[in-house]
Amino acid sequence: MSPDPKDSITPTPRERELMMLIARGMQNKNIAYELKISENTVRAHIGNIMRKYRLQNRTQIAIIYALKAAPLSLRRDLGRSGANPAAVKPAQALAQNPRVPTAPD
């Protein structure tokens, strides 16, 4: 099986900054303030990231950022254990299991 071309997609430096701030749980208005851009620009960047990686929500952006930011040794260990989260794209994982169990109230 040939490598997925989406795996070679690289975010721009600005998209990477934005992904990091999303992974930290920041809201659009706080991201805009931090990066000194408008909220509309933040939304545009988020839309571009979602299209680029075929994602559906901010949580998936945070996951992609975390996977790409993880040290190579950790990614290698995950691959050896057979639990490589990078093998399943977030959108595919949601399609396979759309309902994630939550803690009872």
Side-chain angles (χ1 to χ4, degrees):
M1 181 192 253
S2 63
D4 190 340
K6 288 183 288 186
D7 291 338
S8 63
I9 295 173
T10 306
T12 65
R14 187 56 128 189
E15 288 172 343
R16 198 173 305 116
E17 277 182 296
L18 196 102
M19 292 170 80
M20 177 190 63
L21 297 174
I22 288 171
R24 289 184 181 173
M26 292 180 75
Q27 297 175 349
N28 287 359
K29 68 180 178 179
N30 300 111
I31 293 171
Y33 179 81
E34 180 80 19
L35 299 179
K36 296 174 179 53
I37 58 178
S38 74
E39 284 187 63
N40 286 336
T41 304
V42 170
R43 283 191 286 275
H45 282 305
I46 291 171
N48 291 338
I49 292 166
M50 287 185 182
R51 272 189 297 284
K52 201 181 257 192
Y53 289 99
R54 296 183 181 166
L55 305 175
Q56 297 171 352
N57 58 52
R58 295 168 69 93
T59 302
Q60 292 175 335
I61 292 173
I63 291 168
I64 290 292
Y65 177 80
L67 289 174
K68 293 200 177 275
L72 181 59
S73 60
L74 175 60
R75 285 183 273 149
R76 213 178 290 131
D77 290 345
L78 288 171
R80 277 193 214 120
S81 69
N84 186 356
V88 177
K89 304 292 182 283
Q92 291 172 332
L94 281 177
Q96 293 168 0
N97 187 12
R99 292 184 178 254
V100 177
T102 58
D105 292 330

XYZ file of all heavy atoms in Angstrom:
816
model
N 0.840 -1.162 0.000
C 0.000 0.000 0.000
C 0.895 1.237 0.000
O 1.831 1.342 0.776
C -0.892 -0.027 1.240
C -1.810 1.155 1.295
S -2.578 1.261 2.922
C -4.205 0.742 2.558
N 0.607 2.184 -0.872
C 1.425 3.391 -0.969
C 1.040 4.372 0.137
O -0.084 4.358 0.629
C 1.254 4.042 -2.337
O -0.080 4.452 -2.500
N 1.977 5.235 0.533
C 1.663 6.195 1.597
C 0.558 7.147 1.170
O 0.425 7.499 0.012
C 2.972 6.940 1.814
C 3.966 6.419 0.854
C 3.317 5.354 0.029
N -0.219 7.557 2.128
C -1.315 8.493 1.892
C -0.725 9.876 1.637
O 0.055 10.370 2.434
C -2.218 8.519 3.126
C -3.510 9.274 2.900
O -3.569 10.092 1.949
O -4.451 9.052 3.666
N -1.075 10.545 0.508
C -0.526 11.873 0.236
C -0.861 12.881 1.320
O -0.135 13.835 1.537
C -1.141 12.285 -1.095
C -2.100 11.230 -1.476
C -1.976 10.093 -0.519
N -1.968 12.676 2.063
C -2.335 13.598 3.137
C -1.305 13.578 4.261
O -1.169 14.539 4.999
C -3.709 13.249 3.703
C -4.852 13.586 2.774
C -6.161 13.282 3.421
C -6.309 11.782 3.475
N -7.569 11.305 3.939
N -0.576 12.454 4.420
C 0.427 12.365 5.466
C 1.579 13.327 5.221
O 2.279 13.703 6.147
C 0.964 10.936 5.593
C -0.077 9.978 6.136
O -1.038 10.450 6.788
O 0.060 8.769 5.919
N 1.792 13.714 3.967
C 2.899 14.608 3.650
C 2.480 16.081 3.652
O 3.297 16.938 3.395
C 3.488 14.235 2.291
O 2.517 14.419 1.283
N 1.225 16.372 3.950
C 0.758 17.753 4.008
C 1.392 18.424 5.223
O 1.403 17.871 6.319
C -0.782 17.818 4.117
C -1.421 17.253 2.860
C -1.246 19.253 4.355
C -2.919 17.115 2.948
N 1.914 19.599 4.999
C 2.567 20.342 6.074
C 1.821 21.648 6.305
O 1.576 22.384 5.356
C 4.031 20.654 5.687
O 4.673 19.443 5.329
C 4.758 21.304 6.826
N 1.495 21.933 7.562
C 0.836 23.220 7.826
C 1.834 24.368 7.683
O 3.038 24.191 7.883
C 0.367 23.084 9.276
C 1.242 22.047 9.877
C 1.637 21.127 8.757
N 1.325 25.530 7.336
C 2.175 26.722 7.276
C 2.578 27.075 8.711
O 1.949 26.607 9.667
C 1.420 27.914 6.663
O 0.338 28.271 7.547
C 0.885 27.588 5.271
N 3.613 27.891 8.867
C 3.988 28.294 10.235
C 2.821 28.936 10.996
O 2.626 28.670 12.187
C 5.127 29.283 10.021
C 5.742 28.856 8.723
C 4.590 28.367 7.885
N 2.016 29.742 10.335
C 0.875 30.382 10.995
C -0.168 29.346 11.375
O -0.743 29.398 12.472
C 0.270 31.449 10.073
C -0.790 32.268 10.734
C -0.276 32.931 11.999
N -0.550 34.343 11.955
C -0.091 35.219 12.808
N 0.678 34.840 13.797
N -0.382 36.478 12.703
N -0.432 28.381 10.486
C -1.391 27.324 10.802
C -0.890 26.504 11.988
O -1.678 26.124 12.850
C -1.628 26.422 9.586
C -2.429 27.080 8.491
C -2.499 26.258 7.215
O -1.686 25.321 7.041
O -3.364 26.573 6.379
N 0.401 26.253 12.041
C 0.985 25.498 13.149
C 0.773 26.254 14.474
O 0.410 25.648 15.478
C 2.473 25.251 12.891
C 3.044 24.148 13.739
C 4.469 23.778 13.361
N 4.601 23.425 11.955
C 5.331 24.118 11.067
N 6.016 25.173 11.432
N 5.393 23.738 9.807
N 0.994 27.576 14.445
C 0.753 28.397 15.644
C -0.704 28.273 16.080
O -0.995 28.091 17.262
C 1.015 29.872 15.334
C 2.431 30.323 15.409
C 2.516 31.820 15.119
O 2.192 32.230 13.991
O 2.893 32.558 16.051
N -1.588 28.396 15.115
C -3.009 28.334 15.398
C -3.396 26.962 15.956
O -4.151 26.862 16.924
C -3.800 28.626 14.122
C -5.243 28.972 14.369
C -5.433 30.470 14.265
C -6.126 28.277 13.379
N -2.851 25.897 15.363
C -3.134 24.542 15.832
C -2.679 24.367 17.281
O -3.366 23.739 18.084
C -2.462 23.511 14.922
C -3.062 23.451 13.526
S -2.092 22.450 12.383
C -2.618 20.809 12.850
N -1.519 24.938 17.623
C -1.005 24.846 18.978
C -1.964 25.536 19.957
O -2.266 24.995 21.021
C 0.379 25.487 19.075
C 0.938 25.497 20.479
S 2.427 26.480 20.654
C 1.818 28.105 20.255
N -2.447 26.714 19.580
C -3.353 27.446 20.461
C -4.697 26.734 20.605
O -5.290 26.729 21.686
C -3.524 28.878 19.961
C -2.228 29.711 19.971
C -2.458 31.068 19.321
C -1.674 29.854 21.371
N -5.166 26.113 19.532
C -6.400 25.315 19.606
C -6.169 24.134 20.540
O -7.010 23.809 21.375
C -6.841 24.841 18.202
C -7.371 26.023 17.401
C -7.899 23.736 18.300
C -7.637 25.713 15.942
N -4.998 23.486 20.413
C -4.677 22.343 21.271
C -4.608 22.748 22.739
O -4.878 21.936 23.625
C -3.356 21.714 20.831
N -4.287 24.008 23.003
C -4.275 24.521 24.377
C -5.672 24.860 24.878
O -5.842 25.256 26.024
C -3.411 25.773 24.466
C -1.956 25.502 24.340
C -1.178 26.779 24.529
N 0.239 26.553 24.390
C 1.124 27.528 24.379
N 0.740 28.785 24.493
N 2.396 27.260 24.244
N -6.669 24.756 24.000
C -8.053 24.990 24.396
C -8.507 26.430 24.295
O -9.529 26.792 24.858
N -7.760 27.245 23.572
C -8.119 28.660 23.476
C -9.298 28.883 22.535
O -9.451 28.168 21.545
C -6.918 29.472 23.003
C -5.792 29.526 24.022
S -4.369 30.478 23.465
C -5.002 32.135 23.648
N -10.112 29.887 22.844
C -11.238 30.282 22.003
C -10.734 31.174 20.878
O -9.652 31.768 20.965
C -12.271 31.039 22.822
C -12.894 30.214 23.914
C -13.829 31.047 24.773
O -13.867 32.271 24.680
N -14.589 30.381 25.619
N -11.554 31.307 19.815
C -11.165 32.113 18.654
C -10.778 33.538 19.036
O -9.792 34.070 18.538
C -12.292 32.152 17.620
C -12.439 30.847 16.881
O -11.695 29.895 17.110
N -13.395 30.783 15.988
N -11.558 34.178 19.921
C -11.251 35.565 20.259
C -9.912 35.686 20.977
O -9.177 36.648 20.780
C -12.374 36.205 21.072
C -12.572 35.659 22.461
C -13.708 36.381 23.154
C -13.922 35.789 24.542
N -15.003 36.478 25.236
N -9.556 34.683 21.801
C -8.271 34.697 22.486
C -7.122 34.410 21.525
O -6.042 34.993 21.648
C -8.267 33.708 23.642
C -9.341 34.024 24.661
O -10.302 33.272 24.782
N -9.212 35.129 25.365
N -7.374 33.517 20.566
C -6.367 33.221 19.538
C -6.118 34.477 18.716
O -4.968 34.833 18.433
C -6.823 32.047 18.646
C -6.856 30.743 19.457
C -5.905 31.903 17.434
C -7.491 29.574 18.737
N -7.195 35.157 18.343
C -7.068 36.389 17.563
C -6.236 37.421 18.314
O -5.335 38.051 17.741
C -8.451 36.951 17.236
N -6.496 37.582 19.586
C -5.753 38.539 20.403
C -4.273 38.133 20.477
O -3.387 38.966 20.308
C -6.364 38.607 21.805
C -5.630 39.551 22.727
C -5.862 40.921 22.666
C -4.697 39.071 23.644
C -5.184 41.795 23.506
C -4.017 39.934 24.482
C -4.257 41.295 24.411
O -3.578 42.147 25.233
N -4.029 36.862 20.735
C -2.659 36.351 20.870
C -1.848 36.545 19.588
O -0.682 36.920 19.632
C -2.712 34.863 21.241
C -1.376 34.198 21.412
C -0.739 34.481 22.766
O -1.454 34.893 23.699
O 0.481 34.305 22.865
N -2.483 36.280 18.434
C -1.775 36.360 17.146
C -1.902 37.739 16.493
O -1.360 37.952 15.406
C -2.298 35.281 16.194
C -2.109 33.827 16.649
C -2.688 32.873 15.619
C -0.642 33.530 16.906
N -2.666 38.626 17.134
C -2.878 39.989 16.610
C -3.503 39.970 15.210
O -3.053 40.636 14.278
C -1.568 40.777 16.612
C -1.029 40.995 18.012
C 0.323 41.645 17.990
C 0.894 41.894 19.364
N 0.968 40.797 20.273
N -4.548 39.137 15.088
C -5.321 39.037 13.849
C -6.796 39.093 14.227
O -7.140 39.017 15.409
C -5.010 37.734 13.062
C -5.284 36.486 13.922
C -3.562 37.738 12.568
C -5.052 35.154 13.215
N -7.662 39.216 13.232
C -9.099 39.278 13.526
C -9.661 37.878 13.760
O -9.070 36.878 13.342
C -9.849 39.942 12.367
O -9.927 39.064 11.272
N -10.819 37.829 14.409
C -11.494 36.544 14.601
C -11.871 35.922 13.261
O -11.859 34.702 13.119
C -12.745 36.712 15.473
C -12.433 36.877 16.944
C -13.682 36.870 17.791
O -14.395 35.846 17.817
O -13.944 37.914 18.422
N -12.208 36.766 12.273
C -12.527 36.242 10.937
C -11.317 35.542 10.330
O -11.456 34.515 9.664
C -13.001 37.359 10.008
C -14.405 37.817 10.344
O -15.186 37.070 10.932
N -14.724 39.045 9.994
N -10.130 36.088 10.539
C -8.912 35.455 10.029
C -8.666 34.133 10.745
O -8.264 33.145 10.122
C -7.703 36.399 10.183
O -7.997 37.634 9.512
C -6.443 35.797 9.600
N -8.925 34.101 12.037
C -8.790 32.845 12.797
C -9.724 31.800 12.206
O -9.317 30.658 11.945
C -9.103 33.058 14.301
C -9.191 31.728 15.034
C -8.058 33.950 14.944
N -10.981 32.185 11.964
C -11.940 31.241 11.382
C -11.497 30.775 10.001
O -11.645 29.594 9.653
C -13.336 31.869 11.328
C -14.026 31.885 12.677
C -15.500 32.255 12.554
N -15.701 33.672 12.284
C -15.753 34.613 13.214
N -15.625 34.295 14.483
N -15.944 35.876 12.887
N -10.920 31.677 9.214
C -10.425 31.302 7.886
C -9.298 30.283 8.009
O -9.264 29.285 7.270
C -9.945 32.537 7.126
N -8.364 30.515 8.938
C -7.271 29.560 9.142
C -7.810 28.198 9.580
O -7.361 27.155 9.091
C -6.284 30.070 10.197
C -5.333 31.110 9.702
N -4.511 30.933 8.611
C -5.061 32.353 10.179
C -3.776 32.016 8.441
N -4.095 32.901 9.366
N -8.776 28.217 10.495
C -9.363 26.958 10.963
C -10.019 26.221 9.804
O -9.846 25.007 9.643
C -10.371 27.212 12.109
C -9.621 27.664 13.365
C -11.196 25.963 12.398
C -10.523 28.145 14.491
N -10.759 26.943 8.974
C -11.377 26.321 7.791
C -10.340 25.731 6.850
O -10.517 24.626 6.334
N -9.232 26.448 6.637
C -8.169 25.938 5.769
C -7.549 24.670 6.341
O -7.290 23.704 5.608
C -7.070 26.997 5.579
C -7.538 28.173 4.762
O -8.503 28.072 3.993
N -6.887 29.305 4.935
N -7.315 24.664 7.647
C -6.736 23.477 8.295
C -7.696 22.298 8.169
O -7.287 21.182 7.837
C -6.423 23.771 9.777
C -5.272 24.780 9.882
C -6.074 22.494 10.527
C -5.102 25.384 11.265
N -8.980 22.538 8.411
C -9.964 21.454 8.330
C -10.046 20.884 6.922
O -10.129 19.666 6.747
C -11.331 21.945 8.805
C -11.402 22.137 10.285
S -13.086 22.576 10.759
C -12.886 22.809 12.512
N -10.012 21.762 5.917
C -10.042 21.280 4.528
C -8.763 20.510 4.187
O -8.814 19.460 3.573
C -10.215 22.444 3.557
C -11.649 22.796 3.278
C -11.775 23.815 2.155
N -11.141 25.097 2.480
C -11.649 26.008 3.303
N -12.799 25.765 3.896
N -11.017 27.142 3.524
N -7.637 21.063 4.593
C -6.344 20.474 4.273
C -6.219 19.041 4.808
O -5.733 18.150 4.132
C -5.233 21.348 4.876
C -3.884 21.185 4.260
C -2.875 22.084 4.977
C -2.562 23.305 4.182
N -1.390 24.036 4.724
N -6.677 18.845 6.047
C -6.567 17.534 6.697
C -7.864 16.738 6.683
O -7.926 15.655 7.252
C -6.104 17.708 8.147
C -4.670 18.131 8.264
C -4.330 19.456 8.478
C -3.642 17.201 8.139
C -3.015 19.852 8.582
C -2.318 17.586 8.242
C -2.007 18.911 8.465
O -0.701 19.303 8.557
N -8.898 17.311 6.067
C -10.222 16.672 6.011
C -10.748 16.368 7.409
O -11.132 15.239 7.721
C -10.186 15.408 5.157
C -9.855 15.694 3.723
C -9.890 14.466 2.879
N -9.549 14.815 1.516
C -9.229 13.953 0.601
N -9.210 12.671 0.881
N -8.937 14.343 -0.614
N -10.749 17.391 8.238
C -11.217 17.270 9.619
C -12.590 17.900 9.752
O -13.032 18.634 8.881
C -10.222 17.960 10.567
C -8.788 17.482 10.469
C -7.882 18.310 11.358
C -8.682 16.015 10.811
N -13.246 17.607 10.871
C -14.601 18.103 11.071
C -14.756 19.021 12.276
O -15.783 19.689 12.405
C -15.561 16.917 11.214
C -15.600 16.071 9.951
C -16.378 14.791 10.161
O -16.771 14.460 11.273
N -16.587 14.059 9.083
N -13.772 19.059 13.174
C -13.919 19.915 14.346
C -12.567 20.276 14.952
O -11.537 19.746 14.566
C -14.845 19.267 15.393
C -14.326 17.922 15.840
O -13.172 17.773 16.233
N -15.186 16.913 15.781
N -12.606 21.172 15.928
C -11.396 21.674 16.579
C -10.652 20.582 17.342
O -9.429 20.603 17.440
C -11.757 22.791 17.550
C -12.322 24.014 16.889
C -12.930 24.946 17.913
N -11.945 25.560 18.774
C -11.387 26.737 18.558
N -11.749 27.442 17.520
N -10.503 27.218 19.387
N -11.384 19.655 17.920
C -10.744 18.573 18.666
C -9.823 17.772 17.752
O -8.710 17.410 18.133
C -11.802 17.653 19.307
O -12.631 18.438 20.163
C -11.144 16.538 20.095
N -10.271 17.533 16.538
C -9.436 16.800 15.587
C -8.186 17.598 15.231
O -7.125 17.024 15.048
C -10.254 16.460 14.340
C -11.345 15.448 14.613
C -12.230 15.211 13.403
O -12.362 16.060 12.527
N -12.839 14.040 13.356
N -8.311 18.923 15.160
C -7.140 19.766 14.909
C -6.138 19.575 16.046
O -4.938 19.415 15.821
C -7.524 21.251 14.766
C -8.340 21.474 13.489
C -6.284 22.139 14.770
C -8.901 22.877 13.336
N -6.619 19.576 17.287
C -5.747 19.400 18.450
C -5.057 18.039 18.416
O -3.872 17.926 18.737
C -6.545 19.568 19.739
N -5.795 17.017 17.997
C -5.219 15.667 17.920
C -4.118 15.629 16.873
O -3.032 15.092 17.116
C -6.316 14.618 17.626
C -7.241 14.481 18.830
C -5.698 13.273 17.245
C -8.510 13.703 18.552
N -4.387 16.182 15.692
C -3.377 16.216 14.629
C -2.135 16.950 15.117
O -1.009 16.496 14.922
C -3.935 16.901 13.353
C -4.993 16.021 12.690
C -2.826 17.245 12.366
C -4.473 14.747 12.087
N -2.322 18.079 15.782
C -1.182 18.845 16.293
C -0.392 18.002 17.293
O 0.832 17.931 17.232
C -1.630 20.153 16.941
C -0.470 20.904 17.533
C 0.364 21.667 16.719
C -0.170 20.814 18.887
C 1.455 22.326 17.241
C 0.912 21.481 19.421
C 1.729 22.231 18.600
O 2.811 22.873 19.115
N -1.093 17.354 18.211
C -0.425 16.554 19.235
C 0.359 15.399 18.610
O 1.483 15.106 19.024
C -1.440 16.019 20.240
N -0.222 14.761 17.607
C 0.466 13.645 16.954
C 1.719 14.112 16.223
O 2.753 13.453 16.262
C -0.469 12.925 15.983
C -1.583 12.117 16.627
C -2.535 11.579 15.563
C -1.021 10.984 17.463
N 1.625 15.258 15.561
C 2.778 15.762 14.823
C 3.832 16.350 15.760
O 5.009 16.344 15.448
C 2.344 16.795 13.793
C 1.515 16.176 12.688
C 1.503 17.045 11.477
C 0.743 16.382 10.360
N 1.532 15.471 9.583
N 3.412 16.844 16.931
C 4.346 17.451 17.873
C 4.984 16.423 18.801
O 5.975 16.724 19.455
C 3.624 18.511 18.708
N 4.429 15.215 18.840
C 4.975 14.188 19.728
C 6.397 13.834 19.306
O 6.709 13.811 18.114
C 4.086 12.941 19.676
N 7.259 13.569 20.269
C 8.628 13.177 19.925
C 8.634 11.923 19.051
O 7.788 11.041 19.205
C 9.274 12.884 21.276
C 8.384 13.492 22.297
C 7.019 13.587 21.692
N 9.602 11.872 18.155
C 9.708 10.736 17.235
C 9.774 9.415 17.996
O 9.163 8.429 17.591
C 10.931 10.897 16.332
C 11.161 9.799 15.309
C 9.968 9.670 14.371
C 12.427 10.075 14.517
N 10.472 9.384 19.121
C 10.595 8.146 19.894
C 9.232 7.662 20.381
O 8.954 6.467 20.355
C 11.539 8.336 21.079
O 11.046 9.350 21.930
N 8.370 8.590 20.795
C 7.036 8.208 21.245
C 6.221 7.674 20.076
O 5.550 6.654 20.188
C 6.322 9.392 21.892
C 4.866 9.158 22.310
C 4.777 8.024 23.326
C 4.273 10.424 22.878
N 6.292 8.370 18.926
C 5.548 7.894 17.752
C 6.041 6.515 17.335
O 5.255 5.657 16.955
C 5.665 8.896 16.612
C 4.797 10.128 16.845
C 4.842 11.077 15.693
N 5.989 11.955 15.916
C 6.714 12.505 14.965
N 6.445 12.279 13.709
N 7.721 13.291 15.252
N 7.349 6.287 17.434
C 7.922 4.993 17.076
C 7.422 3.917 18.034
O 7.046 2.831 17.620
C 9.453 5.083 17.117
C 10.116 4.209 16.106
C 11.629 4.338 16.120
N 12.055 5.630 15.611
C 12.936 6.425 16.215
N 13.495 6.095 17.360
N 13.273 7.569 15.684
N 7.394 4.224 19.334
C 6.907 3.270 20.335
C 5.446 2.925 20.105
O 5.041 1.774 20.228
C 7.088 3.822 21.751
C 8.537 3.883 22.175
O 9.387 3.241 21.519
O 8.824 4.589 23.163
N 4.646 3.927 19.792
C 3.231 3.675 19.513
C 3.078 2.758 18.308
O 2.230 1.886 18.293
C 2.490 4.989 19.270
C 2.268 5.870 20.497
C 1.735 7.222 20.078
C 1.344 5.209 21.482
N 3.921 2.947 17.307
C 3.876 2.109 16.112
C 4.241 0.668 16.406
O 3.650 -0.265 15.892
N 5.222 0.469 17.265
C 5.659 -0.892 17.616
C 4.611 -1.636 18.419
O 4.459 -2.830 18.288
C 6.953 -0.830 18.429
C 8.153 -0.693 17.577
C 9.413 -0.953 18.384
N 10.446 -0.087 17.840
C 11.088 0.837 18.501
N 10.859 1.025 19.777
N 11.986 1.582 17.928
N 3.892 -0.910 19.273
C 2.916 -1.572 20.133
C 1.637 -1.929 19.375
O 0.747 -2.541 19.924
C 2.575 -0.688 21.327
O 1.845 0.440 20.903
N 1.551 -1.466 18.123
C 0.351 -1.754 17.343
C -0.786 -0.791 17.640
O -1.878 -0.945 17.133
N -0.526 0.201 18.470
C -1.564 1.181 18.828
C -1.242 2.516 18.197
O -1.314 3.544 18.832
C -1.643 1.312 20.342
N -0.876 2.513 16.929
C -0.457 3.736 16.254
C -1.663 4.593 15.903
O -2.375 4.308 14.954
C 0.332 3.388 14.995
C 0.922 4.607 14.327
O 0.691 5.735 14.762
N 1.678 4.391 13.281
N -1.915 5.666 16.658
C -3.079 6.496 16.357
C -2.956 7.222 15.031
O -3.941 7.623 14.461
C -3.123 7.495 17.511
C -1.785 7.455 18.136
C -1.169 6.129 17.788
N -1.750 7.377 14.507
C -1.585 8.054 13.224
C -2.060 7.179 12.063
O -2.287 7.663 10.967
C -0.126 8.452 13.018
N -2.212 5.870 12.311
C -2.638 4.973 11.248
C -4.098 5.202 10.867
O -4.499 4.923 9.753
C -2.438 3.520 11.669
N -4.879 5.698 11.798
C -6.289 5.981 11.533
C -6.468 7.484 11.612
O -6.181 8.097 12.625
C -7.199 5.280 12.561
C -8.654 5.647 12.311
C -7.007 3.782 12.510
N -6.924 8.058 10.518
C -7.162 9.496 10.490
C -8.321 9.829 11.421
O -9.248 9.026 11.567
C -7.503 9.954 9.063
C -6.463 9.591 8.034
C -5.191 10.379 8.266
C -4.145 10.081 7.242
N -3.436 8.858 7.395
N -8.297 10.991 12.078
C -9.383 11.341 12.997
C -10.762 11.246 12.362
O -11.693 10.786 12.994
C -9.049 12.779 13.403
C -7.578 12.872 13.251
C -7.247 11.988 12.080
N -10.892 11.678 11.114
C -12.196 11.612 10.456
C -12.638 10.154 10.280
O -13.810 9.829 10.443
C -12.152 12.321 9.104
N -11.676 9.266 9.990
C -11.999 7.848 9.850
C -12.394 7.261 11.194
O -13.320 6.472 11.282
C -10.809 7.073 9.298
C -10.471 7.390 7.863
C -9.160 6.743 7.441
O -8.282 6.516 8.267
N -9.028 6.463 6.165
N -11.690 7.652 12.247
C -11.996 7.136 13.575
C -13.406 7.532 13.980
O -14.149 6.728 14.541
C -10.987 7.654 14.591
N -13.803 8.764 13.686
C -15.158 9.196 14.012
C -16.188 8.430 13.196
O -17.247 8.091 13.702
C -15.318 10.689 13.765
C -14.737 11.589 14.852
C -14.906 13.040 14.452
C -15.404 11.338 16.178
N -15.866 8.163 11.941
C -16.802 7.433 11.092
C -16.992 6.006 11.615
O -18.076 5.452 11.564
C -16.311 7.413 9.651
N -15.900 5.430 12.146
C -15.974 4.063 12.663
C -16.707 4.017 13.996
O -17.382 3.052 14.310
C -14.566 3.493 12.850
C -13.841 3.283 11.550
C -12.366 2.992 11.768
O -11.888 2.940 12.892
N -11.640 2.817 10.683
N -16.555 5.056 14.820
C -17.162 5.086 16.141
C -17.688 6.492 16.418
O -17.074 7.250 17.157
C -16.137 4.674 17.202
C -16.769 4.525 18.561
O -17.988 4.516 18.693
N -15.943 4.413 19.587
N -18.818 6.859 15.820
C -19.298 8.231 15.939
C -19.706 8.629 17.348
O -19.702 9.778 17.685
C -20.483 8.288 14.982
C -20.923 6.884 14.819
C -19.705 6.029 15.036
N -20.080 7.691 18.191
C -20.508 8.027 19.554
C -19.423 7.613 20.536
O -19.108 6.451 20.673
C -21.812 7.327 19.912
C -22.966 7.864 19.119
C -24.234 7.195 19.589
N -25.334 7.752 18.852
C -26.207 8.601 19.377
N -26.100 8.978 20.611
N -27.179 9.061 18.661
N -18.877 8.592 21.185
C -17.855 8.329 22.176
C -18.533 8.281 23.526
O -19.257 9.200 23.903
C -16.779 9.441 22.170
C -15.745 9.217 23.238
C -16.142 9.537 20.792
N -18.331 7.187 24.297
C -18.987 7.102 25.595
C -18.481 8.196 26.526
O -17.309 8.549 26.511
C -18.608 5.714 26.112
C -17.452 5.287 25.292
C -17.505 6.045 24.004
N -19.377 8.724 27.322
C -18.999 9.759 28.277
C -19.300 9.273 29.694
O -20.041 8.309 29.890
C -19.772 11.061 28.018
O -21.166 10.789 28.093
C -19.431 11.638 26.655
N -18.741 9.955 30.654
C -18.986 9.590 32.041
C -20.437 9.880 32.398
O -21.013 10.848 31.922
C -18.052 10.376 32.944
N -21.031 9.049 33.256
C -22.410 9.316 33.663
C -22.488 10.594 34.483
O -21.535 10.998 35.121
C -22.785 8.092 34.515
C -21.509 7.416 34.850
C -20.479 7.860 33.847
N -23.667 11.228 34.457
C -23.863 12.487 35.203
C -23.803 12.277 36.690
O -24.104 11.370 37.278
C -25.218 13.112 34.839
C -25.181 13.593 33.394
O -24.111 13.963 32.916
O -26.265 13.578 32.786
